[in-house]
Amino acid sequence: MNRSSVFRSAVAACVCLLILNALPACSPLPEPAQIPTNRAAGENMPQTTLPAGVTAATQPATVPTTDAPAQTGPAAETSTSAPAQKNAADFSNPGIIIGVEYASPGMAAKYSELGITGVKPYPSDFKWGVMQSGQCAKINFDTLDQFVAEYQNAGFRDIMLPLHPACGWANVNSVTNFTPKPKFTGHFEKWVSAVVERYDLDGNADMPGLRYPVNLVEIGVEFSSFEPEPAADYIKMLERAYKAAHAASKTVKILHSAFLAGSAFITDPGPGEYEAAFAAADKRIMYHSLADIRQVLDRPDIFDIVNFHALCYPGEIEQTVRWLKYEMGLRHYSKPVAVSDTSVNPFLGYGSALKTEGDAGQLAILSPPAKEEDRERLKAYFLRLINGDETAIAWVHTFCATDMVKKIFLSAHAGVLTINTAFMEEFAPSKSMLFGAAAGNSIWSGIMLTSVKPFSNQRMIEEVRPAFYAIGQAASRLKNCTSVVKVDSGDENVLIYRLIGNGGFVYVAWYEPDILILPGDSVPGKNVAFTGLGEKAVIEEMIGTQGQTQPARSVLSAQNGSVTVRLTYVPQYIMPG
């Protein structure tokens, strides 16, 4: 769900922005141990057995064992070449850069244990008006230099830098239009140019100690109420920024302000249906229309990467990429696609979870699989979280890990260039009854719980959540992957991806139910027979329990050439034994 307000929190800024906008009393504004990355099968892994007494929910489905050629039948596989980690700005080969957001000082060393290369800071830290206090003031790079130095020294090669154009002294309007006044367009271009030049590692006016070029630069932070000006005004600003950035650097890649369209895909529309789907989307999210978005897409000469945010259910990623490829195809061009912001599936947002009746415009917007009949159950669930119920909190932390892992693999298969997983830290005040869980699960989705050192902005890590280890586990599985193949099991709720690399393969698989699962519910699943794994198969569980730093594994013997695995909504890794 979208996020909109007037201040930034010290931790999950976008969550708090959504919450404050959603409060009925507010007027809406426009607006662990290190994860090894090349561990051999079974090395340093505890061996466990599957729970006894598991029964089949349905008859087993058989998974093909070889890579079938593309076809339309039930055994079809679709493939995307996807080496998981790449050098900075290496766009010559397909692949995915896994990142984390939103980064604050003091967290780089711990997050470097994930073995990933991408990171994104809070956009509010580097607003134009924050970096340049007046038209005659020098641009202040101190905070940005400190951020770049800390994270590059920790091994983060692929910093994504969001340039927020908000600037009180220069904007057309500091609330409704963040584009520069005509007399300040030159100042805006100089700011963009100076930032790009300082971090491009070309030997000219570079930051002292710069280790890698910062080549991923966003102009604006989200094409929503965060970028409230008319589309035509934004496009003029983007054009100026693009020219200024490319004049300063030969390697910079410009991302336009990210599209926010997840709620338009709830009905899974296709060509000929997109217009109606976007028109039906809740205007609290669709601040800019499909026509506005298409105006941006009409100008491929002023951006290098197509950019969107994935803040709802995992499936929106493949739906959005499919739509963007359709739109680019109509315009006869092809560009890389980035998921510059994510959030776990909130189940609901843009309204209090505790309000279940009334005008639709005052109720929280639901995110699949949540349905209207689930509102009372969701209210009870979020009350448990607000009141600190330990069982519910443990459940949501596991859920957040599963949701982010799914988004990683769906993005890898869709051919996404980069995805930033979220959120690096949790904002505890937003969990109070006052906020009414108005951003849903995302309030409890902090990968870590942190505190702030007195008289500084440095973070101290208080607790590491399961999502940290689950993201590292997923990244390690993609580390040397050369291809991601989607296996069609004949059941749209059974999602299986074959990760191929280093002469071997691993399946990642899960069952995606159509119903809302909450703590205490029976967990639906499906038994799936995997063949071609040899005499034995290793089943690696996703790391999802608080305090767990390594995945549990079990070894199953093949029966009649196949191994049957019960899939649930929690991803599992299946590999030859």
Side-chain angles (χ1 to χ4, degrees):
M1 299 297 168
N2 189 16
R3 311 155 322 271
S4 183
S5 187
V6 292
F7 74 90
R8 149 200 185 280
S9 77
V11 185
C14 62
V15 172
C16 294
L17 293 170
L18 186 156
I19 291 168
L20 292 180
N21 191 49
L23 286 173
C26 296
S27 300
L29 297 176
E31 212 259 352
Q34 182 168 346
I35 302 291
T37 55
N38 290 291
R39 180 186 287 119
E43 180 184 347
N44 298 326
M45 293 292 187
Q47 299 296 311
T48 63
T49 56
L50 289 177
V54 175
T55 58
T58 61
Q59 291 297 313
T62 300
V63 175
T65 61
T66 58
D67 297 337
Q71 53 183 312
T72 58
E77 298 184 350
T78 58
S79 177
T80 297
S81 182
Q85 302 295 323
K86 308 189 311 179
N87 293 332
D90 176 11
F91 303 118
S92 58
N93 297 308
I96 186 166
I97 299 167
I98 300 173
V100 284
E101 63 174 355
Y102 292 111
S104 290
M107 304 177 73
K110 185 62 178 177
Y111 272 96
S112 70
E113 296 177 11
L114 294 177
I116 62 178
T117 64
V119 68
K120 178 178 175 178
Y122 282 113
S124 296
D125 287 341
F126 311 116
K127 290 179 179 178
W128 178 17
V130 171
M131 295 186 68
Q132 189 173 19
S133 59
Q135 58 179 303
C136 298
K138 292 183 178 180
I139 298 171
N140 187 334
F141 292 102
D142 290 350
T143 302
L144 186 50
D145 281 357
Q146 292 169 10
F147 169 81
V148 171
E150 177 186 348
Y151 281 86
Q152 287 197 346
N153 288 338
F156 288 92
R157 301 174 60 96
D158 296 295
I159 292 174
M160 180 179 289
L161 186 57
L163 294 187
H164 196 319
C167 182
W169 57 267
N171 292 155
V172 170
N173 185 290
S174 60
V175 175
T176 62
N177 193 324
F178 294 154
T179 63
K181 296 174 183 176
K183 65 179 179 179
F184 293 129
T185 56
H187 292 71
F188 171 74
E189 292 166 3
K190 288 179 181 178
W191 170 62
V192 172
S193 176
V195 172
V196 171
E197 180 61 69
R198 188 168 180 84
Y199 305 105
D200 65 357
L201 199 62
D202 66 352
N204 177 38
D206 292 338
M207 180 193 91
L210 187 68
R211 301 185 66 178
Y212 313 110
V214 177
N215 286 329
L216 299 173
V217 177
E218 291 181 281
I219 304 301
V221 296
E222 186 176 83
F223 200 57
S224 63
S225 58
F226 277 109
E227 209 61 57
E229 60 272 356
D233 288 1
Y234 171 75
I235 290 168
K236 291 178 182 177
M237 179 174 67
L238 177 62
E239 182 173 13
R240 294 188 183 99
Y242 183 87
K243 291 179 179 178
H246 278 277
S249 171
K250 295 180 180 179
T251 59
V252 68
K253 302 295 179 182
I254 295 298
L255 295 79
H256 59 70
S257 189
F259 301 143
L260 185 67
S263 62
F265 298 108
I266 290 175
T267 59
D268 196 21
E273 301 169 324
Y274 289 131
E275 290 78 8
F278 275 80
D282 196 297
K283 297 304 181 287
R284 286 176 284 177
I285 295 177
M286 288 302 301
Y287 184 90
H288 285 292
S289 67
L290 178 59
D292 290 345
I293 292 171
R294 284 175 166 169
Q295 286 185 57
V296 177
L297 291 171
D298 284 343
R299 294 293 309 275
D301 58 311
I302 57 174
F303 59 86
D304 303 301
I305 298 171
V306 178
N307 187 20
F308 75 96
H309 287 171
L311 310 181
C312 297
Y313 53 96
E316 71 166 307
I317 289 176
E318 291 189 323
Q319 294 170 325
T320 305
V321 172
R322 184 169 63 242
W323 161 67
L324 288 171
K325 289 182 176 180
Y326 166 77
E327 295 285 353
M328 286 189 281
L330 291 178
R331 293 159 177 78
H332 307 293
Y333 69 86
S334 177
K335 290 181 181 289
V337 176
V339 185
S340 59
D341 274 19
T342 58
S343 169
V344 300
N345 187 344
F347 292 161
L348 53 77
Y350 253 103
S352 172
L354 310 184
K355 182 178 176 62
T356 60
E357 297 180 348
D359 181 76
Q362 296 298 316
L363 295 177
I365 302 170
L366 298 174
S367 175
K371 302 177 179 66
E372 285 298 324
E373 57 266 31
D374 294 318
R375 287 193 184 274
E376 288 295 338
R377 294 182 65 224
L378 285 166
K379 175 182 177 180
Y381 161 64
F382 284 113
L383 279 172
R384 290 177 66 185
L385 291 175
I386 291 169
N387 290 323
D389 183 285
E390 292 183 0
T391 301
I393 290 172
W395 186 91
V396 75
H397 288 166
T398 297
F399 173 81
C400 291
T402 67
D403 196 78
M404 205 51 61
V405 166
K406 292 173 184 178
K407 285 180 164 71
I408 289 171
F409 287 112
L410 291 170
S411 296
H413 176 258
V416 164
L417 171 72
T418 182
I419 179 173
N420 290 317
T421 55
F423 295 108
M424 290 176 69
E425 51 185 345
E426 191 167 282
F427 184 51
S430 64
K431 295 185 285 187
S432 73
M433 189 71 72
L434 171 67
F435 294 110
N441 288 321
S442 58
I443 296 171
W444 286 268
S445 68
I447 298 170
M448 293 183 186
L449 182 65
T450 62
S451 59
V452 182
K453 290 182 180 180
F455 310 109
S456 78
N457 200 28
Q458 290 286 315
R459 300 305 198 264
M460 297 182 293
I461 296 169
E462 306 292 341
E463 182 177 280
V464 180
R465 302 281 171 68
F468 179 84
Y469 300 99
I471 291 169
Q473 182 184 18
S476 70
R477 287 295 167 198
L478 284 169
K479 186 73 174 181
N480 297 305
C481 182
T482 58
S483 183
V484 178
V485 178
K486 186 175 184 179
V487 179
D488 186 352
S489 67
D491 184 337
E492 63 181 11
N493 296 98
V494 173
L495 296 173
I496 303 170
Y497 296 89
R498 184 180 172 106
L499 316 177
I500 303 169
N502 281 352
F505 67 90
V506 176
Y507 289 114
V508 59
W510 65 91
Y511 178 78
E512 194 70 66
D514 293 324
I515 59 174
L516 179 68
I517 307 299
L518 294 175
D521 292 350
S522 59
V523 179
K526 184 166 185 176
N527 283 4
V528 176
F530 291 81
T531 58
L533 294 169
E535 295 182 359
K536 295 181 179 180
V538 176
I539 314 300
E540 181 179 291
E541 307 293 333
M542 187 203 78
I543 301 172
T545 304
Q546 187 63 41
Q548 181 187 7
T549 62
Q550 302 291 348
R553 285 185 165 198
S554 59
V555 178
L556 298 180
S557 298
Q559 302 292 328
N560 299 319
S562 70
V563 173
T564 299
V565 180
R566 180 170 175 79
L567 300 180
T568 68
Y569 71 90
V570 180
Q572 299 176 73
Y573 303 90
I574 301 104
M575 64 202 83

